[in-house]
Amino acid sequence: MSTWRNWAGTESATGVQVLRPASTDEVAAAVKAAAEQGKKLKAVGSGHSFTGCSVPEQVMVRLDGLSAIQAADRTSGRVTVGAGTGLAKLNAGLASFDLAMANLGDIDKQTISGAISTGTHGTGAKLGGLATQVVGLELVTADGSVLQCSADENPDVFAAARVSVGALGVITSLTLQCVPAFLLRAQEMPLPLGEVLAGFDELADGNDHFEFYWFPHTDVALTKRNNRVAAGVGPSPVGRVRGWVDDELLSNKVFELTNRLAVRRPALVPRINRIATRALSAREYVDASYKVFCSERNVVFRESEYAVPREHLVEVLGQLRAWIDRSGERFPFPIEVRVAAADDIWLSTAQGRATAYLAIHQYHRLDHGRYFTAFEQIVAAYGGRPHWGKLHTLDATRLAELYPHFGDFLAVRDRLDPGRAFANPYTRQVFGD
């Protein structure tokens, strides 16, 4: 028996049985045995979700034994990888084949299956989340069956399982459509928030990847533009000292200290944020795509993220800013804004619509309740869809209104897991019994 706790400390489980299968057959045997005994079983990745989506009730399956690239074809760019492979390990492995993921999020601590299952995404107006790069997957269902799923084989399960919150079974491997390895030129600079919002569409559409961070109680946003370099341009990475100062000292160590100060002296937060924006300086560098996409994030926080139709981003952020100004509360963490193209995955937050993402954060020692509640009330008027792995309060009734294929997903779930072997409190919240 073991105790499990997620990274953020928002969820935990004690007294759970831990299984460490080393093959698909062992996963199938474990799942079948648990289901026959009436036990609830959950595959657990790195625990980087803030919600209870991966909390095991009785049996926890660790997929560390399925954490390697199983096949790679440089010509087609198709790579099959074990579901327990961490993104950092995957990115390095792909680079050895001169391949890369077309788009990534901003951290690489998750496992590939956990990132896919919760709808993890990066930013890019013409690009989708990580799940859109999946062209095939292997799924172990409650009766121990092993399904091969793709657009041609079990297509309804494929449409459901790419973002499934672990409710359909245990994914044991994924086949990814990768691209030739590429370099990105990163351009990071602070700009007036009004300028960023006025030119938001041009910035989003005019760059391969665009995002910005707005510091509450200020008029400044940190913008990040990442674009593929021209042929013949080589890498010119951030210097070791500058990289340590910016990414480790300022972004982690000093940021931790300023958040601790915010706990003791909330009234200082606006001044702290203004100082932080003045400390930001422009930088430009060229490096391997995955090194540009991913950063270290060591300060513990709580996060809620909602996807809204992209055309409403400026209005939604304006309402959130107005609430912050009149709330009297203080928020030391920046708000992150990203974009994504529409896709056709049933439970993807970008299903059927060009999307903007707003992510709000609060330091783990500060209360987030009122802030997150206000945020949810604002985005509700715009059909906001919550990230499956980040804090929200929506239930199956509301989610059914937000996803046209919600009923289709539930039908697949009923067929594959009628006894709810893969259920837990979170799946009961978002999918019903």
Side-chain angles (χ1 to χ4, degrees):
M1 297 296 177
S2 180
T3 298
W4 173 88
R5 180 177 180 273
N6 68 345
W7 174 82
T10 54
E11 299 287 345
S12 63
T14 58
V16 294
Q17 180 184 359
V18 181
L19 302 177
R20 298 180 183 275
S23 67
T24 297
D25 288 343
E26 290 183 14
V27 173
V31 168
K32 184 176 181 181
E36 288 176 347
Q37 295 167 29
K39 294 181 178 179
K40 303 299 184 187
L41 178 146
K42 270 292 177 187
V44 174
S46 65
H48 242 276
S49 290
F50 297 84
T51 64
C53 58
S54 59
V55 174
E57 287 192 310
Q58 293 168 299
V59 181
M60 175 171 65
V61 177
R62 303 303 304 249
L63 297 175
D64 304 351
L66 301 173
S67 60
I69 292 177
Q70 300 168 356
D73 185 333
R74 284 190 177 93
T75 303
S76 67
R78 296 208 165 179
V79 176
T80 300
V81 60
T85 308
L87 288 178
K89 181 178 179 180
L90 173 60
N91 290 332
L94 291 177
S96 71
F97 290 101
D98 200 29
L99 295 170
M101 299 281 283
N103 201 10
L104 288 165
D106 55 12
I107 61 170
D108 60 6
K109 305 303 184 186
Q110 313 98 313
T111 61
I112 182 64
S113 57
I116 295 296
S117 297
T118 54
T120 295
H121 61 91
T123 189
K126 299 180 180 67
L127 296 162
L130 271 66
T132 65
Q133 300 170 66
V134 176
V135 293
L137 60 86
E138 185 176 75
L139 179 72
V140 175
T141 61
D143 63 0
S145 298
V146 180
L147 297 183
Q148 304 298 327
C149 307
S150 67
D152 300 317
E153 190 172 9
N154 296 305
D156 59 337
V157 179
F158 184 60
R162 280 178 286 171
V163 178
S164 65
V165 203
L168 303 181
V170 178
I171 295 173
T172 50
S173 70
L174 297 134
T175 299
L176 307 170
Q177 180 60 63
C178 298
V179 298
F182 60 101
L183 299 176
L184 284 174
R185 181 183 304 280
Q187 296 171 294
E188 303 173 1
M189 67 183 70
L191 289 173
L193 177 64
E195 181 180 328
V196 174
L197 295 180
F200 179 71
D201 285 330
E202 291 79 5
L203 289 164
D205 293 328
N207 293 280
D208 294 337
H209 312 271
F210 174 73
E211 63 185 308
F212 71 88
Y213 296 80
W214 170 57
F215 290 80
H217 321 298
T218 79
D219 296 314
V220 179
L222 173 63
T223 62
K224 295 190 175 186
R225 292 173 250 203
N226 299 329
N227 292 286
R228 292 189 178 219
V229 301
V233 175
S236 53
V238 176
R240 183 173 298 178
V241 173
R242 174 72 186 271
W244 181 83
V245 169
D246 287 353
D247 301 325
E248 180 56 29
L249 180 62
L250 294 179
S251 296
N252 287 297
K253 289 183 169 63
V254 172
F255 194 49
E256 173 72 34
L257 292 174
T258 58
N259 274 274
R260 290 185 181 186
L261 178 59
V263 174
R264 297 194 299 269
R265 301 282 299 278
L268 292 179
V269 169
R271 187 183 305 173
I272 291 170
N273 285 7
R274 287 193 294 271
I275 292 171
T277 60
R278 287 198 294 270
L280 296 172
S281 58
R283 68 176 185 175
E284 183 172 328
Y285 59 97
V286 177
D287 213 336
S289 59
Y290 67 95
K291 294 180 181 179
V292 174
F293 286 134
C294 303
S295 304
E296 283 291 324
R297 294 287 184 267
N298 297 323
V299 179
V300 180
F301 55 88
R302 308 288 181 258
E303 181 174 1
S304 179
E305 181 177 57
Y306 269 79
V308 298
R310 192 181 120 176
E311 63 268 24
H312 296 308
L313 177 277
V314 173
E315 186 176 353
V316 172
L317 185 57
Q319 290 194 25
L320 182 59
R321 187 183 189 187
W323 181 86
I324 289 172
D325 288 345
R326 67 175 180 267
S327 71
E329 298 207 21
R330 300 294 179 251
F331 305 106
F333 260 83
I335 293 169
E336 182 179 18
V337 175
R338 293 177 286 177
V339 293
D343 64 50
D344 62 354
I345 301 170
W346 287 354
L347 294 189
S348 165
T349 47
Q351 193 278 327
R353 67 192 195 192
T355 292
Y357 293 97
L358 291 96
I360 67 170
H361 315 76
Q362 182 65 296
Y363 185 55
H364 70 111
R365 298 178 190 275
L366 291 170
D367 180 68
H368 64 271
R370 187 181 174 212
Y371 185 24
F372 285 22
T373 296
F375 179 51
E376 284 200 311
Q377 291 172 345
I378 291 168
V379 297
Y382 299 89
R385 297 168 176 168
H387 188 300
W388 296 102
K390 298 177 183 178
L391 297 176
H392 72 92
T393 63
L394 301 197
D395 60 15
T397 300
R398 176 56 177 158
L399 291 165
E401 298 170 350
L402 297 171
Y403 287 95
H405 290 284
F406 197 78
D408 298 323
F409 179 90
L410 296 185
V412 170
R413 183 184 184 223
D414 287 341
R415 189 173 85 238
L416 298 185
D417 186 21
R420 299 297 187 258
F422 304 107
N424 70 2
Y426 183 73
T427 63
R428 288 189 278 276
Q429 171 193 329
V430 297
F431 299 135
D433 294 331

